[in-house]
Amino acid sequence: MGSPKVRGRRRLRIALVTFAVLLLLITAGLLGFGWYYSGQLLEPENARPGYRDTVTSSASGTVSLAESRVTVLPGTWGLVWPGGGAKVGPVTQRSEGTVVRELQGTAPPDGTPVRLETSVWSTDPDTAHDLDYTEVRIPTELGDAPAWLVPATSSTWVVAVHGRGGTRAEALRVIPALHGLGLPVLAVTYRNDEGAPRSPDGLYHLGDTEWRDLEAAVRYAEEHGAHNVVLYGWSMGGAIVGQFLARSAEADDVAAVVLDAPVVNWTKTLELQSRNRGVPEQLVPVAELVSDWRVDLEFSRFDLLANPPARKPPTLLFHGGADGTVPVQASRELASAADRLDWPLRYVEVPAAEHTAAWNVDPEDYESTVKDFLDSVEVIR
């Protein structure tokens, strides 16, 4: 049986071993969560959306979809399915779990999995808008990256940067308005995009390295006639623009910036997305820690409120009040601090707009706002 002292020591050892095992299991669980969550954030294949909605029927000029959070969103959207796409307009009817929307084009067969995209068009400037363009190659440090160049008369070029998991087709919504102002548009790709060079680790760096691909695009523009540039970024494209302004030798050549639902603080973005997934916000630092370990990220660098870029050109910032992907509050706070930061920034919030959907809700008003802003900062030459 052993003496009481021996039994006490044995119980203590058991308790210590049990505690160590529990601590190990908790640590392993936290690291496992961090690895999974960092994979959702950094691995390009996880950023590309699937087809989560369904066509139930179609008729002349309309399409019916199973009701979901996405299919009821207001405005004009792209309807995309494997091998095809069309343009859908506002909701005209809702009943018994079905949403009817206006349709331009041909709908897929009933039961087809689809998704709604803010990009609207998934083709090219000629097919979408009958605009001449050239497929060009931007020489980046990793190799040539494809881009569309839509020519025009001004010596100020717009360089358009899409968001995480998106494509250069994101710019097709605004290219006609910019072209109408005489502004050439260079719609770029960056590392890990389809057709662009792969990064050495095959992972997104959330803007921390992608800004160098934007720098290469700005240099290309300057070498081909641009005297200065306007940067236009959506979502993670906004984070890329922010890092370019903070770190690029070419930043002084930026005459103005347009940001649409930009990531101006990755930590707050991860906190919002953790809430959406029902994950405690307290676990976000674990995801950041693992992401930092995987790709050497300094998340504080992306907080444009605490660490504003050295170059702060006139900026137009759109954000949707219904954005469930990138927190609108971060943009509000940046706009509120703009005077203190000596940043000439105009903020436009579109109450009903989801992520990067300010144009989709009201294209005419959105384009008018962009035109007025660019006129006011006198960038068109």
Side-chain angles (χ1 to χ4, degrees):
M1 295 290 295
S3 68
K5 183 180 289 188
V6 171
R7 291 197 300 272
R9 289 174 179 169
R10 185 181 296 121
R11 285 195 293 268
L12 178 59
R13 285 198 298 271
I14 292 171
L16 289 173
V17 170
T18 301
F19 176 77
V21 170
L22 289 174
L23 184 61
L24 181 62
L25 290 173
I26 291 170
T27 302
L30 289 173
L31 291 175
F33 163 81
W35 187 272
Y36 170 80
Y37 200 79
S38 72
Q40 295 297 303
L41 183 64
L42 304 177
E43 295 170 11
E45 58 270 23
N46 291 328
R48 292 168 186 139
Y51 301 94
R52 299 187 177 92
D53 294 301
T54 307
V55 168
T56 58
S57 65
S58 62
S60 178
T62 65
V63 61
S64 298
L65 304 156
E67 183 172 331
S68 72
R69 183 190 65 83
V70 175
T71 58
V72 300
L73 291 172
T76 301
W77 294 73
L79 183 70
V80 180
W81 59 92
K87 180 180 177 182
V88 295
V91 174
T92 59
Q93 184 179 343
R94 290 175 64 177
S95 64
E96 299 179 354
T98 299
V99 177
V100 181
R101 303 189 74 117
E102 297 175 1
L103 173 69
Q104 294 182 22
T106 302
D110 298 355
T112 299
V114 296
R115 67 171 176 262
L116 266 64
E117 287 192 345
T118 55
S119 296
V120 181
W121 297 274
S122 56
T123 51
D124 57 58
D126 181 26
T127 305
H129 302 301
D130 197 26
L131 289 173
D132 291 336
Y133 77 101
T134 303
E135 179 87 16
V136 301
R137 308 291 295 183
I138 307 295
T140 76
E141 63 186 6
L142 298 178
D144 288 354
W148 291 328
L149 173 56
V150 181
T153 57
S154 177
S155 62
T156 299
W157 289 30
V158 177
V159 181
V161 192
H162 68 79
R164 173 177 166 272
T167 71
R168 52 187 159 165
E170 195 149 29
L172 290 173
R173 288 173 291 174
V174 297
I175 283 177
L178 297 171
H179 185 267
L181 295 174
L183 294 167
V185 180
L186 188 64
V188 304
T189 59
Y190 48 81
R191 58 194 67 194
N192 297 310
D193 279 350
E194 183 177 352
R198 186 178 183 273
S199 63
D201 56 15
L203 300 174
Y204 287 134
H205 288 217
L206 309 183
D208 194 50
T209 57
E210 290 85 355
W211 70 268
R212 296 201 289 266
D213 300 336
L214 173 56
E215 182 178 68
V218 170
R219 286 177 179 155
Y220 178 94
E222 292 171 340
E223 290 168 0
H224 290 78
H227 291 172
N228 52 31
V229 298
V230 174
L231 301 183
Y232 207 127
W234 291 263
S235 194
M236 191 179 93
I240 294 171
V241 169
Q243 293 308 297
F244 173 93
L245 293 174
R247 301 159 72 177
S248 175
E250 309 295 327
D252 286 343
D253 296 326
V254 178
V257 171
V258 182
L259 300 175
D260 192 323
V263 176
V264 299
N265 185 314
W266 269 114
T267 296
K268 290 185 177 179
T269 300
L270 297 183
E271 289 172 349
L272 173 63
Q273 294 183 5
S274 70
R275 291 195 295 271
N276 291 343
R277 291 175 167 86
V279 175
E281 287 182 32
Q282 293 81 357
L283 293 178
V284 167
V286 179
E288 290 186 340
L289 179 67
V290 176
S291 297
D292 184 14
W293 176 74
R294 294 182 72 180
V295 296
D296 191 24
L297 288 176
E298 295 180 30
F299 277 86
S300 61
R301 185 194 291 273
F302 298 99
D303 183 350
L304 297 190
L305 181 58
N307 297 294
R311 170 70 172 151
K312 296 182 282 289
T315 299
L316 173 62
L317 196 168
F318 291 99
H319 213 124
D323 195 329
T325 302
V326 172
V328 63
Q329 185 60 28
S331 287
R332 291 171 181 163
E333 291 171 359
L334 182 63
S336 296
D339 289 344
R340 173 173 63 80
L341 298 175
D342 194 25
W343 193 336
L345 188 152
R346 179 182 176 186
Y347 178 60
V348 177
E349 186 168 315
V350 181
E354 242 288 357
H355 187 51
T356 69
W359 180 95
N360 305 75
V361 169
D362 191 338
E364 184 176 344
D365 187 61
Y366 183 101
E367 292 174 6
S368 175
T369 301
V370 171
K371 291 176 182 177
D372 289 347
F373 168 72
L374 294 176
D375 283 340
S376 71
V377 297
E378 300 180 345
V379 299
I380 304 168
R381 302 172 184 176

